[in-house]
Amino acid sequence: MSALPAITVVCALPSEAQALVGHWRLALRRERPFRVYGDGPARVVVSGVGSHASAAAVGYAAGLADAGGDHMWLNLGIAGHVSHAVGTPLLAARITHHGREGAWYPSLLFLPVIATDTGAEALLARWHFTHAQTLQLRQLLQRRALLTAQATPDLSSLVSCRDASALLARLREEVDALPLPAARTR
């Protein structure tokens, strides 16, 4: 077993994989059924778009080599964001699937050194929230972002809140007072 765990990064598009392939200087090892770069401790697989393609690429890559318990898997992609500049690295804090109800909130097993995809992280770090309160906060921030096109509220207006309940009450008042956007017609 190696001193460092091996890593496989799965990207949907070649443009998403390009920076890692260049940085790690990985050679193209296989072209079909998926492009696979590298065969040592670091490997990049280009899956194609969609959850089924990604799942198939992960299965294929796992079959190429013995993926032990210390093997890391990372899905890396490029997406747009309403308030972050192009090139800003983000971790997904909420994941939804097109055509399916519900969302998945991945557990972060480390303190991220880059931003996550919500303004909620700064608030969650300042006050103690229960799981239910965390879900309420995310829902209120999502509603606020839809109505104002601003993902993060002004924290200076919230610092006087004594606890998470007070913060949620103030944020709820603010969101409930926002006007609904005018209907668009063609």
Side-chain angles (χ1 to χ4, degrees):
M1 185 181 317
S2 65
L4 293 175
I7 184 168
T8 297
V9 180
V10 179
C11 300
L13 303 172
S15 59
E16 296 170 332
Q18 189 175 23
L20 286 176
V21 169
H23 178 75
W24 286 334
R25 297 180 182 156
L26 301 175
L28 180 64
R29 299 297 182 193
R30 291 172 179 76
E31 283 211 47
R32 298 200 186 275
F34 302 100
R35 284 188 176 189
V36 178
Y37 296 88
D39 58 1
R43 182 173 41 200
V44 176
V45 181
V46 179
S47 67
V49 177
S51 59
H52 295 288
S54 181
V58 167
Y60 177 76
L64 291 177
D66 183 25
D70 62 348
H71 195 98
M72 293 184 290
W73 293 85
L74 180 65
N75 188 305
L76 181 77
I78 299 171
H81 194 278
V82 69
S83 63
H84 289 287
V86 172
T88 303
L90 299 169
L91 289 174
R94 178 177 185 262
I95 300 171
T96 59
H97 187 282
H98 172 67
R100 292 188 189 161
E101 290 185 23
W104 178 56
Y105 299 90
S107 298
L108 297 179
L109 303 176
F110 55 91
L111 183 62
V113 294
I114 62 173
T116 61
D117 69 341
T118 65
E121 302 310 314
L123 300 173
L124 291 169
R126 185 171 177 93
W127 290 273
H128 173 74
F129 287 81
T130 65
H131 179 70
Q133 288 173 326
T134 300
L135 296 177
Q136 291 172 32
L137 175 66
R138 292 185 192 282
Q139 184 181 36
L140 284 168
L141 290 175
Q142 183 178 26
R143 283 180 52 206
R144 186 182 183 284
L146 289 171
L147 295 172
T148 67
Q150 294 176 342
T152 308
D154 180 19
L155 294 180
S156 64
S157 68
L158 301 172
V159 294
S160 63
C161 295
R162 68 185 183 285
D163 58 18
S165 295
L167 174 99
L168 289 172
R170 179 162 310 155
L171 197 54
R172 189 172 291 109
E173 286 175 15
E174 178 188 328
V175 170
D176 288 345
L178 292 171
L180 293 174
R184 295 182 185 166
T185 58
R186 289 186 184 206

